[in-house]
Amino acid sequence: MMKFKLKSSYMADLDTMHYWYLIVPCAVAALFIHPATAHYFFFRLLWAFCVYLESISVLPQLRLMQNVQIIEPFTAHYVFALGVARFLGCAHWINQVYDTHGAYLYLAGRGYFWIPMVFLAEIVQTFILADFCYYYIKSVISGQLLVRLPQPV
């Protein structure tokens, strides 16, 4: 929709994130670390790819918002809610590991890394959104309607 119906509001010059830098590492990670279930191999790869891509899927949006530097309230509220949801999801994984005394990290002693990798993906996504949430809370406390982000490095 951004490139066709809402083309007049799309800022192509500020949308500088190359998607292949996100897609290729996720595909490679999925090839090496995926769940060992009874499903077909292709579907296990797709599942792993989706988990890894979801953990970094907000990076293009955050990069665009950093380039714009001022975020409208509706977009800011959505990204903040996404950050809170990711934080709660990460807290859920931490709680699962704590309740099982770490046994949840390894399935039946098989020695593969699927569950730890999912846990790492949750932590990565939480920390990616934590920076935005910090500036969002800072804006709300100061009474500003628009969230202002610092210059990209």
Side-chain angles (χ1 to χ4, degrees), residues 27-43:
V28 170
L31 188 62
F32 290 110
I33 302 173
H34 52 271
T37 62
H39 298 93
Y40 292 114
F41 180 72
F42 178 72
F43 294 120

Side-chain angles (χ1 to χ4, degrees), residues 120-131:
L120 180 64
E122 283 286 335
I123 290 173
V124 165
Q125 189 172 22
T126 301
F127 280 110
I128 287 172
L129 287 166
D131 181 55

Side-chain angles (χ1 to χ4, degrees), residues 85-110:
R86 290 294 94 211
F87 172 76
L88 293 174
C90 189
H92 165 74
W93 278 96
I94 292 170
N95 190 36
Q96 289 290 336
V97 171
Y98 179 75
D99 283 349
T100 61
H101 304 290
Y104 196 69
L105 291 176
Y106 301 99
L107 298 177
R110 291 185 179 167

